[in-house]
Amino acid sequence: MNAFDKNAAGVVIPDEQLLADEAQWSSFGDTVHYVDPPKIFRHGEGSWMYDTAGVPFLDLQMWYSAVNFGYGNKRLNDTLKRQIDVLPQVASQYLHQTRIELAKTIAVDAQQKFGLKGRVHFNVGGAQAVEDSLKLVRNYSNGKSLMFAFEGGYHGRTLGASSITSSYRYRRRFGHFGERAMFIPFPYPFRRPKGMTPEEYSDACVRQFERLFETEYNGVWDPKVNQAEYAAFYVEPIQGTGGYVIPPKNFFKDLKKVLDKYGILMVVDEIQMGFWRTGKLWSIEHFGVTPDVVVFGKALTNGLNPLSGLWAREELINPTIFPPGSTHSTFNSNPLGTSLGLEVIKMGYELNYEKTVAEKGAHFLDALKDLQKRHKEIGDVDGLGLALRAEICTDDGFTPNKALLDKMVDIGLAGDLQHNGKKIGLVLDVGGWYKNVITFAPSLDITHEEIDLAIALLDQLLTKAKKAM
């Protein structure tokens, strides 16, 4: 055992006992076990997690992009400690300083970037912020409850968020979803139709969507009153759980023209891509469009305390149209979360993540392309900032190969890779429409040396996994 194995009460419980207790007493419904038996970690620092034996694991997914700034970030940990001693909690019907400062910081930043006045509304988790956005949109549109969303899109697992998430798997056991979104094709460059460029595929997707409005019999538009049946389109600028799919640069500009023409709001889900994951505070900034609503969460507090929220333009959220109590949560705008969120945004601009993330992302992507040349099973690599993907295929370089990726995850979490004669592990995330995509979301503070190590470990991991198949 290592010194960091003790819990807050100073008690060390062996892995075997913890796993036995978890099997007997814990709901399995609130987690996903990637390996059997599930992995237990005891300590985290920077880009690394450590298991009970002290084996280091290089984490390339950072809690689904919630820990953008690394485990044990001293600046953020110190912020949390200071806030605990000043005002650790306060009922959400009362105000406190960092709540107001954080709302102003996000709203002023959005006004500078989008040219629109707006306001910020807080909640706790990402899915809860999506729920709040659904209420906001329904309220503004006089109760319209139908939404557009993308095939491959993911927005959470609450009932409302599940209704706009394309996977039926998340809805199947929970009754009939009569107000389920209409799911629209997303331009997936690697799997585009033969004979099309990515840009032509993007154009085709937009034209297919706009066709819905051609006549009243196409299903969503009444030309006599110029009104759509649908209130908003929920988009991830880069699909997260869908496999970090990056659309062509022209796609969202062209889509937004259609939405504006027919009076449909654009709600941008930045829960996974926000806070410099792509080199911008918001990933939508790369695509040159102005959203109506931005939903955020995860990395706002570096995973230290739950906080989420949304920014919306003034017309949707001003106190006249969206008055006090429109939607509410006991723990929203909690002072631990808002103090952390304020520090995250200050830190991001002070440390110039826009520049450093772009540089590290380019280094990582170049290295992945080089790795691809050595392994024909890597069918596609792509990335924007430090949101990167590697699609694992059969040896034809295209057919999805979920089994090979599953084997890679098993080997990585076993902690039996070698580096400088010592054991080392690798933490990967599985995503994609076919569950064959490694979605890389490393710490934004990952070093160039750690990126090079990651590539060496991936090379070793792929070689081992192929031999084991």
Side-chain angles (χ1 to χ4, degrees), residues 153-345:
Y154 179 86
H155 301 285
R157 300 200 195 186
T158 55
L159 289 175
S162 294
S163 73
I164 57 173
T165 292
S166 66
S167 176
Y168 173 51
R169 180 166 66 91
Y170 302 132
R171 294 186 296 275
R172 180 178 59 81
R173 292 173 294 111
F174 305 114
H176 177 64
F177 284 70
E179 294 175 336
R180 193 202 76 171
M182 180 186 292
F183 297 109
I184 303 300
F186 188 84
Y188 187 160
F190 180 59
R191 299 199 173 273
R192 67 187 183 272
K194 290 182 179 179
M196 280 188 175
T197 66
E199 291 72 24
E200 288 170 342
Y201 183 31
S202 172
D203 293 342
C205 288
V206 173
R207 288 197 304 271
Q208 183 177 344
F209 174 63
E210 188 167 22
R211 181 183 172 277
L212 294 173
F213 302 88
E214 282 183 357
T215 80
E216 63 184 277
Y217 294 101
N218 292 57
V220 303
W221 179 250
D222 183 350
K224 291 185 178 180
V225 294
N226 290 328
Q227 189 174 120
E229 188 176 14
Y230 287 70
F233 202 135
Y234 276 73
V235 310
E236 294 170 284
I238 297 173
Q239 292 200 331
T241 302
Y244 286 19
V245 180
I246 304 170
K249 282 291 181 73
N250 60 307
F251 177 66
F252 283 112
K253 276 188 176 181
D254 295 341
L255 179 67
K256 187 64 162 58
K257 291 176 184 176
V258 179
L259 299 181
D260 289 345
K261 182 177 179 180
Y262 295 104
I264 296 166
L265 301 174
M266 177 182 275
V267 181
V268 174
D269 182 338
E270 293 279 359
I271 294 166
Q272 193 163 158
M273 291 297 156
F275 305 103
W276 293 283
R277 169 57 54 199
T278 66
K280 301 282 189 182
L281 182 65
W282 310 124
S283 60
I284 195 65
E285 294 177 53
H286 294 279
F287 297 95
V289 298
T290 299
D292 298 292
V293 181
V294 175
V295 183
F296 53 84
K298 285 191 185 292
L300 175 60
T301 62
N302 204 40
L304 288 169
N305 199 75
L307 186 70
S308 66
L310 62 85
W311 169 89
R313 57 182 175 87
E314 181 74 4
E315 293 87 341
L316 280 70
I317 201 172
N318 70 73
T320 299
I321 192 169
F322 205 65
S326 293
T327 180
H328 180 73
S329 169
T330 301
F331 294 97
N332 69 13
S333 67
N334 63 83
L336 297 178
T338 55
S339 63
L340 283 164
L342 189 62
E343 195 65 25
V344 158
I345 294 179

Side-chain angles (χ1 to χ4, degrees), residues 91-112:
S92 55
Q93 64 263 43
Y94 305 118
L95 297 177
H96 56 91
Q97 181 170 323
T98 56
R99 177 198 196 279
I100 298 167
E101 282 188 283
L102 180 57
K104 178 181 177 181
T105 298
I106 293 172
V108 169
D109 184 90
Q111 187 167 350
Q112 291 170 346

Side-chain angles (χ1 to χ4, degrees), residues 48-64:
W48 298 87
M49 291 198 291
Y50 298 82
D51 68 7
T52 305
V55 174
F57 289 73
L58 180 58
D59 190 347
L60 297 181
Q61 67 109 345
M62 300 306 290
W63 197 4
Y64 308 111

Side-chain angles (χ1 to χ4, degrees), residues 336-406:
L336 297 178
T338 55
S339 63
L340 283 164
L342 189 62
E343 195 65 25
V344 158
I345 294 179
K346 288 179 180 177
M347 183 178 74
Y349 281 118
E350 287 174 11
L351 299 182
N352 198 8
Y353 278 116
E354 188 164 330
K355 179 175 183 289
T356 61
V357 168
E359 291 172 348
K360 291 174 183 179
H363 179 185
F364 207 141
L365 185 57
D366 285 345
L368 283 172
K369 289 177 178 177
D370 184 63
L371 184 67
Q372 184 184 28
K373 294 174 184 175
R374 304 197 298 275
H375 293 276
K376 57 188 176 182
E377 292 82 5
I378 301 178
D380 180 56
V381 296
D382 199 1
L384 190 58
L386 282 169
L388 303 118
R389 73 190 312 268
E391 187 148 348
I392 305 302
C393 302
T394 62
D395 58 11
D396 68 5
F398 187 77
T399 304
N401 195 343
K402 178 181 182 297
L404 179 58
L405 181 51
D406 287 345

